[in-house]
Amino acid sequence: MDHPINAASQQPFRTRTAVLALLCGFGLTGALFAGVSRLEAQRAQLAFEQRVQARAFVLREGIGSALASLHAVNQLFVARPGASREEFHRFVTPLLVRRPYVLGISYLRYIGHGERPAFEAALQAVQPGATVRELHAGAAQPAAVRPRYRVIDYIEPLAGNEAALGLDTLFPGHDESARQRAYASGAPAAGPLVQLVQRDGARKRLGVVVAMPLYAGAAPGGTVIGETALTLPPGAMIEKIFASAGPGAGVLDMQVYASAEPDPAALVYDAAPAPAPSHGGLAVPAWLYPARTAPLQLALDVAGSRWLMVATPGARILASEHLASLSTLGLGVLITLIGSAFIDSLKRRKLLIQQRVATRTAELKAANQALLLRQRAIESSTNAVMITAAEPHNPIVYVNPAYERITGYRADEALGTSPSVLFGEDLDQPGIDELRAAIREQRDGHAVLRCYRKDGTQYWNDVVMSPVRDEHGAVVNFISIQHDISAIKAYESELAHKSTHDALTGLPNRVLLQDRLAQTIQHSGRKGHELWLVSIDLDRFKFTNSRLGHKGGDRLLQIVAARLQAAVRPVDTVARLGGDEFALLLLPERSGLAPRAEQLQRVLDSLAAPLVLDGTELFLTASAGIAVFPTDSKEPAVLAERADMAMFRAKEMGGNQYQFYTAAMNERLGERLRIDSALRTALERREFELHYQPQVDCSTGRIMGMEALIRWRHPEMGMVAPNRFIPLAEETGQILAVGHWVLRTACRQLRDWQRDGRRGLRIAVNVSARQLAEPDFVQGVADVLADTGLAPHCLELELTESAVMNDVAHAMAVMHALKKLGVKLAIDDFGTGYSSLAHLKRFEIDVLKIDQTFVRDLTVDPDDAAIVTTIIALAGNLGLEVISEGVETQEQLDFLRRHGCRHMQGYFFGRPLPAEGFLALLQQDEAAASASQS
């Protein structure tokens, strides 16, 4: 028997020898295997290319056969230009039988618009209801009026192609380039992949149209009078052509693209390799043969259009295809292993005993180290570890230092006591019952508990408990791992608050509002009380926000939130829904059955109070809509929707008010959506027009100017009143383009009248708050004046009080810039806003316009009369011109003239007229003036 030392000294020599034998054997085997594999790969590549070329030949033949049928149909119309529909049917049907992969063969001809009625009548004799149609977004619809159409007159088979009959292929013209190529050459030309009007059930269908022209006189290069066309569904066509040629793709992975490049959007055929039969042979791993057969790309010419065929060999590698290389590999590996095993076996007997002794020694050392490691791990753990005895009251037998740090109890204080000392008096916890059940059933347990430290402070404890069994399987102890999760619980509470409250204002968000609304509905339903859901939206907030910037807008929203909260009671709910949208949940006041309007008015009044932000004085108003439970609905979602409808109605009525929901608002909302949709295209369709209302100097009786008023003549809705679309245009921002058009059109019209000798006239144009807030508004006015050649003093811009007071500092800057241009400025509807005399003195204005609401009843209402006389006196003291709007009676005229108002405007002098009518009015005024002078 060899000495262990001698065996150890011989081991390296024998190990190196075995490894060397393995390396040499494997190296020789690998070299032989690589050489044989290379020969097999070359043979496989050649066979693959032959199969692909065969499939390409079949496909070219099939497509060529289809094109031959198109040539035959074309020659039919060359030989018989007036071939009937029945002749076309008899001629085409045999062609389609032989080529089932053709979706349709059609005859198309050009017709003029005057021929359209007769053509449609002929179509309806074949297919009732058929008309000339065009393709829009994949759907056929009646064709628009055009001078010329290229329509499908005949198509076979008619079944399945009914939708194509009468289709105008000149629109939208996706394949016009291919058709023009065909018209120039006289040969068939295939278009790109397009969406067909024919559908495959409910799915849209893609296809390729091959067109061949028909010339007047049958001579190529002449006038094209029509065409014959093939409609090919590429995927189905290729599949049927391959199927008719019989199996042959084998394990080919083949794609065909209707383009010269492998564009995924042009993929028309994608055939995965045929699954191998169960008896197809044993597969070998792909990594064994890295030199794979390369994919092959072949170009296909389809009527002048270049298609691409891409073939990829199957991924499965069969052992039957590589018998030579596998045999070489297997025999080499077997011989190498046998030789290495023989060399290695010589040392195994001597080393066996040494290995067993070393193993036992290592196991004992590892066990000791593991025990020490576990002890250190438990002592070092940041989680509390507690071991209790499996006996009554489960006394504690061990705690680690983390337990002492977390609970405040020293180890000597904890040992021998019950774990329930951590629960204090808080024993009504589901987790305690779970742990007690786990102890009784001797199983694992988990619970999250409220525990208390030695000083009485609470913390959250995540406890995982498991039984400890002895060698006989009996439970002798329980070990508990305890994790202090107080920080996690606090974070969860914070996340819960953030998920239900707005981050900017701290108000409840939509989620919390919906929850409170549902609960309050249940409570109010039981008590028989009403509940108001109020939707609030700030008026013109977009304009204010654009002036203040995002940070200033955020601070403004915080101020609004604070004002809303201060204006309601603690039992009511204020929520922010997003942007400048807020909501109120109003409950009845004490001893009441329903909220009162004064509660909501108090909220609106608090918002309307002036405020100063970053040195800018702002005036805010809001529009509110009210939905009442249970009158309007008992469903929270419906209440919210109807409150929004009422809020939109309040905005339509000028804002700074509230409206209750009514059933008529549903219809009004539908009208709002129709007007919004039509308004987006009204300008480009030239549906707007300007009317002009005269402004008269009563001291002379002459027309001194006019106010330009926009009118909308819609082809379906008729004449749309300005109060129906102007507020919506301001809200959506379309007022910018509309207002610019009004300004330019009015200036150009006045300039035309001035060229005829009426140089003393001036024109007034209204400016919206949205236009006033635009940074390039003044430059736009200057550009219009320069383009039209109108003198600046002939233009009067009318600004409303609300637009000016929305942002006083910005309004003053804009007015100053406009005055530098020489433009006159007027405050429109004066007396209806909330401007102060101090602001009026600072504004660079020329004219005050008295609102017609004061003029209407001034002869019968002393209050209105006092207001009007005060405004006239105020304007005189400030050196301002004053114009009274809405003058309709002689009594009103006499009153205003008696109190010093010279300039007036209203139906008494003339209604707003289009340009032609107003020109006639000017001519009458000039004739009357000439007659009085003579």
Side-chain angles (χ1 to χ4, degrees):
M1 183 176 181
D2 294 339
H3 193 275
I5 298 178
N6 295 333
S9 64
Q10 296 172 5
Q11 180 179 354
F13 171 78
R14 292 173 178 171
T15 300
R16 286 195 298 271
T17 303
V19 170
L20 183 60
L22 282 172
L23 293 177
C24 292
F26 286 155
L28 181 59
T29 300
L32 292 174
F33 176 75
V36 176
S37 298
R38 191 177 301 109
L39 295 176
E40 291 175 336
Q42 294 173 355
R43 183 185 61 189
Q45 182 70 38
L46 180 60
F48 170 71
E49 292 178 358
Q50 290 173 345
R51 290 199 302 273
V52 174
Q53 291 288 354
R55 302 306 282 180
F57 176 78
V58 169
L59 183 55
R60 291 190 183 100
E61 287 295 306
I63 295 174
S65 176
L67 296 179
S69 67
L70 179 60
H71 274 285
V73 175
N74 192 272
Q75 290 303 310
L76 168 66
F77 285 95
V78 171
R80 289 183 55 79
S84 67
R85 193 181 304 273
E86 181 60 31
E87 290 175 327
F88 180 81
H89 171 75
R90 290 197 306 270
F91 187 85
V92 170
T93 300
L95 299 177
L96 292 172
V97 171
R98 291 194 296 273
R99 300 166 183 86
Y101 47 83
V102 175
L103 183 60
I105 301 178
S106 55
Y107 162 62
L108 298 86
R109 62 189 180 95
Y110 286 92
I111 64 172
H113 182 67
E115 302 173 78
R116 178 172 176 173
F119 176 79
E120 290 181 338
L123 279 186
Q124 291 173 0
V126 179
Q127 183 179 353
T131 61
V132 175
R133 292 170 294 173
E134 62 189 22
L135 199 59
H136 275 281
Q141 62 184 46
V145 174
R146 285 189 286 274
R148 194 171 185 229
Y149 310 89
R150 183 176 62 221
V151 294
I152 298 178
D153 196 356
Y154 304 160
I155 187 167
E156 291 293 336
L158 184 58
N161 289 304
E162 296 90 343
L165 196 61
L167 184 68
D168 178 17
T169 61
L170 273 176
F171 183 88
H174 295 306
D175 54 354
E176 278 306 303
S177 60
R179 280 189 155 94
Q180 294 304 319
R181 190 171 68 249
Y183 292 174
S185 64
L193 192 64
V194 296
Q195 184 172 318
L196 302 177
V197 70
Q198 299 95 327
R199 301 179 73 89
D200 185 5
R203 297 181 302 174
K204 297 178 181 178
R205 171 176 284 175
L206 298 178
V208 173
V209 178
V210 183
M212 187 172 182
L214 291 169
Y215 302 98
T223 303
V224 177
I225 60 173
E227 62 181 51
T228 55
L230 282 177
T231 304
L232 303 175
M237 175 188 74
I238 296 172
E239 186 175 346
K240 290 180 180 179
I241 290 176
F242 285 167
S244 65
V251 292
L252 294 178
D253 184 0
M254 184 175 294
Q255 294 84 33
V256 178
Y257 299 86
S259 64
E261 299 295 333
D263 182 5
L267 180 64
V268 295
Y269 179 75
D270 188 2
S278 58
H279 58 277
L282 178 66
V284 296
W287 57 264
L288 198 58
Y289 294 94
R292 304 293 303 281
T293 303
L296 184 61
Q297 295 187 357
L298 293 178
L300 301 174
D301 182 81
V302 179
S305 178
R306 186 178 179 84
W307 287 18
L308 182 67
M309 173 189 286
V310 180
T312 306
R316 198 163 181 259
I317 303 175
L318 299 178
S320 59
E321 299 174 352
H322 299 276
L323 291 178
S325 60
L326 290 175
S327 299
T328 301
L329 179 63
L331 183 60
V333 170
L334 180 61
I335 293 174
T336 300
L337 292 177
I338 291 175
S340 300
F342 175 75
I343 295 172
D344 189 62
S345 65
L346 297 177
K347 64 178 181 180
R348 289 187 176 276
R349 184 178 298 274
K350 292 185 177 181
L351 298 177
L352 182 59
I353 296 176
Q354 292 178 335
Q355 290 176 349
R356 288 181 178 176
V357 172
T359 300
R360 296 296 184 184
T361 303
E363 289 175 353
L364 180 59
K365 183 178 180 181
N368 291 333
Q369 291 177 343
L371 288 174
L372 181 60
L373 178 62
R374 292 189 185 107
Q375 179 65 26
R376 291 175 178 173
I378 292 175
E379 296 289 335
S380 303
S381 174
T382 58
N383 292 330
V385 178
M386 178 179 68
I387 300 177
T388 59
E391 57 186 57
H393 306 297
N394 302 103
I396 299 174
V397 298
Y398 171 81
V399 294
N400 71 342
Y403 179 93
E404 298 179 284
R405 175 177 49 80
I406 293 173
T407 66
Y409 290 101
R410 298 193 310 274
D412 58 342
E413 293 176 326
L415 295 180
T417 63
S418 173
S420 61
V421 69
L422 297 178
F423 307 148
E425 301 297 328
D426 191 3
L427 299 177
D428 187 16
Q429 301 186 55
I432 296 177
D433 296 333
E434 162 62 20
L435 293 181
R436 288 173 177 171
I439 292 173
R440 285 196 307 271
E441 299 168 12
Q442 297 186 345
R443 58 172 175 81
D444 294 341
H446 175 255
V448 176
L449 303 169
R450 294 183 299 273
C451 293
Y452 300 87
R453 298 183 177 88
K454 184 179 179 180
D455 60 5
T457 58
Q458 178 190 311
Y459 69 98
W460 285 93
N461 199 0
D462 187 347
V463 181
V464 178
M465 184 185 69
S466 298
V468 179
R469 303 179 184 274
D470 61 12
E471 62 274 14
H472 304 295
V475 175
V476 293
N477 294 101
F478 289 93
I479 182 169
S480 301
I481 310 298
Q482 304 178 10
H483 182 204
D484 183 357
I485 59 170
S486 300
I488 297 176
K489 282 289 185 180
Y491 183 63
E492 289 176 351
S493 177
E494 181 182 354
L495 287 180
H497 182 272
K498 289 182 177 179
S499 67
T500 57
H501 288 76
D502 178 53
L504 177 64
T505 63
L507 295 177
N509 61 11
R510 191 184 300 272
V511 174
L512 185 55
L513 175 67
Q514 291 294 331
D515 180 66
R516 289 186 181 177
L517 178 58
Q519 295 180 14
T520 309
I521 284 176
Q522 294 179 359
H523 177 76
S524 298
R526 291 193 301 267
K527 297 293 185 180
H529 294 166
E530 280 192 3
L531 166 69
W532 288 6
L533 178 61
V534 184
S535 177
I536 297 179
D537 190 88
L538 300 181
D539 297 330
R540 299 179 300 277
F541 177 74
K542 292 180 180 178
F543 315 143
T544 305
N545 193 42
S546 66
R547 300 302 308 158
L548 298 176
H550 290 301
K551 292 184 179 179
D554 288 348
R555 291 199 300 275
L556 179 59
L557 290 173
Q558 291 170 341
I559 294 173
V560 169
R563 288 189 174 186
L564 290 174
Q565 285 184 302
V568 299
R569 300 165 301 157
V571 295
D572 299 323
T573 297
V574 180
R576 182 184 179 220
L577 307 183
D580 62 332
E581 299 178 34
F582 295 85
L584 301 181
L585 202 57
L586 296 183
L587 299 174
E589 293 184 341
R590 185 176 301 175
S591 73
L593 296 178
R596 296 185 300 110
E598 290 80 359
Q599 294 176 245
L600 182 55
Q601 189 60 50
R602 193 164 56 240
V603 172
L604 296 181
D605 291 343
S606 70
L607 291 178
L611 64 92
V612 177
L613 184 64
D614 294 338
T616 301
E617 185 174 20
L618 301 175
F619 293 87
L620 290 179
T621 60
S623 301
I626 307 168
V628 180
F629 166 86
T631 305
D632 295 330
S633 178
K634 296 181 180 180
E635 297 296 327
V638 178
L639 281 175
E641 178 182 339
R642 292 180 174 177
D644 285 341
M645 290 183 188
M647 181 269 292
F648 285 129
R649 178 56 180 162
K651 277 191 172 295
E652 290 174 358
M653 298 182 67
N656 194 21
Q657 59 179 287
Y658 60 85
Q659 289 288 320
F660 284 89
Y661 168 78
T662 63
M665 289 181 181
N666 274 322
E667 181 179 351
R668 188 175 291 109
L669 180 61
E671 180 190 21
R672 173 189 172 92
L673 295 176
R674 288 195 301 274
I675 291 178
D676 180 36
S677 178
L679 189 61
R680 297 181 185 278
T681 57
L683 195 60
E684 63 185 51
R685 293 181 179 179
R686 299 183 178 180
E687 296 172 0
F688 290 125
E689 57 187 61
L690 287 187
H691 287 198
Y692 303 90
Q693 187 172 29
Q695 295 176 337
V696 176
D697 186 343
C698 293
S699 63
T700 62
R702 297 292 306 277
I703 296 176
M704 48 158 295
M706 73 289 295
E707 181 178 0
L709 301 171
I710 189 170
R711 296 294 184 265
W712 181 12
R713 192 180 302 277
H714 190 269
E716 296 177 359
M717 294 184 287
M719 188 65 78
V720 184
N723 60 357
R724 293 174 61 192
F725 70 89
I726 291 296
L728 186 58
E730 290 187 351
E731 182 180 337
T732 60
Q734 298 178 67
I735 194 66
L736 298 177
V738 174
H740 185 75
W741 176 86
V742 170
L743 179 63
R744 182 174 291 276
T745 304
C747 291
R748 184 185 299 116
Q749 181 63 71
L750 178 58
R751 184 59 181 148
D752 291 342
W753 286 333
Q754 287 181 343
R755 289 192 181 99
D756 294 337
R758 304 176 182 90
R759 298 191 176 276
L761 291 177
R762 72 184 190 193
I763 192 163
V765 178
N766 291 284
V767 176
S768 72
R770 187 68 179 268
Q771 290 175 272
L772 197 64
E774 286 298 301
D776 58 348
F777 172 67
V778 176
Q779 184 60 45
V781 173
D783 292 343
V784 169
L785 291 174
D787 293 344
T788 60
L790 183 67
H793 70 273
C794 295
L795 174 63
E796 177 183 299
L797 298 180
E798 296 188 359
L799 315 174
T800 62
E801 275 192 275
S802 57
V804 172
M805 297 303 296
N806 187 53
D807 187 345
V808 175
H810 175 69
M812 292 179 63
V814 173
M815 287 190 286
H816 180 72
L818 291 171
K819 290 301 296 179
K820 290 180 67 176
L821 292 178
V823 174
K824 289 184 174 294
L825 299 178
I827 296 294
D828 194 14
D829 302 336
F830 183 73
T832 61
Y834 40 81
S835 60
S836 65
L837 295 180
H839 287 122
L840 189 61
K841 180 180 178 181
R842 295 161 57 194
F843 293 156
E844 299 182 56
I845 58 175
D846 303 285
V847 181
L848 287 182
K849 296 193 73 174
I850 303 176
D851 187 65
Q852 59 183 345
T853 57
F854 301 127
V855 177
R856 183 182 302 117
D857 298 325
L858 63 82
T859 60
V860 295
D861 189 336
D863 293 336
D864 285 347
I867 291 173
V868 170
T869 55
T870 301
I871 294 176
I872 294 173
L874 175 64
N877 293 332
L878 294 177
L880 302 178
E881 181 184 333
V882 63
I883 298 178
S884 292
E885 295 182 306
V887 178
E888 299 180 356
T889 66
Q890 183 67 44
E891 291 79 6
Q892 294 169 348
L893 171 63
D894 295 339
F895 181 93
L896 292 168
R897 181 186 293 167
R898 187 167 58 252
H899 287 85
C901 181
R902 291 176 50 199
H903 299 160
M904 304 180 195
Q905 173 182 344
Y907 286 178
F908 185 80
F909 307 104
R911 292 178 175 271
L913 298 172
E916 298 81 3
F918 193 79
L919 177 59
L921 185 64
L922 287 174
Q923 292 170 344
Q924 292 176 9
D925 180 67
E926 293 164 354
S930 300
S932 64
Q933 290 175 0
S934 62

